[in-house]
Amino acid sequence: MAMQKCHASTQFFDDEGYEAECVLPAGHAGTVHQDPVVGDWDEDELYTVRRPSPPDR
């Protein structure tokens, strides 16, 4: 069985808009999430939506 990812996401705007999705394991500790392209973000600084992990295929 593959490791499930957190899948929390946020949107933020610099000169462009970005949508980040957390690739850390589901249930990870803390409020800091990580996206491979945009890096780390903290729930205390950016509105974050937590989505359930999609079902395994």
Side-chain angles (χ1 to χ4, degrees), residues 26-45:
H28 65 84
T31 60
V32 175
H33 299 277
Q34 188 177 71
D35 179 86
V37 175
V38 299
D40 296 348
W41 83 89
D42 193 317
E43 289 182 16
D44 294 337
E45 297 172 5

Side-chain angles (χ1 to χ4, degrees), residues 1 3 13 17-18 22 24 30 37-39 41 43 45-46 48 50 52 54:
M1 184 168 126
M3 177 181 70
F13 298 89
Y18 299 95
C22 185
L24 294 175
V37 175
V38 299
W41 83 89
E43 289 182 16
E45 297 172 5
L46 291 172
T48 301
R50 290 181 174 263

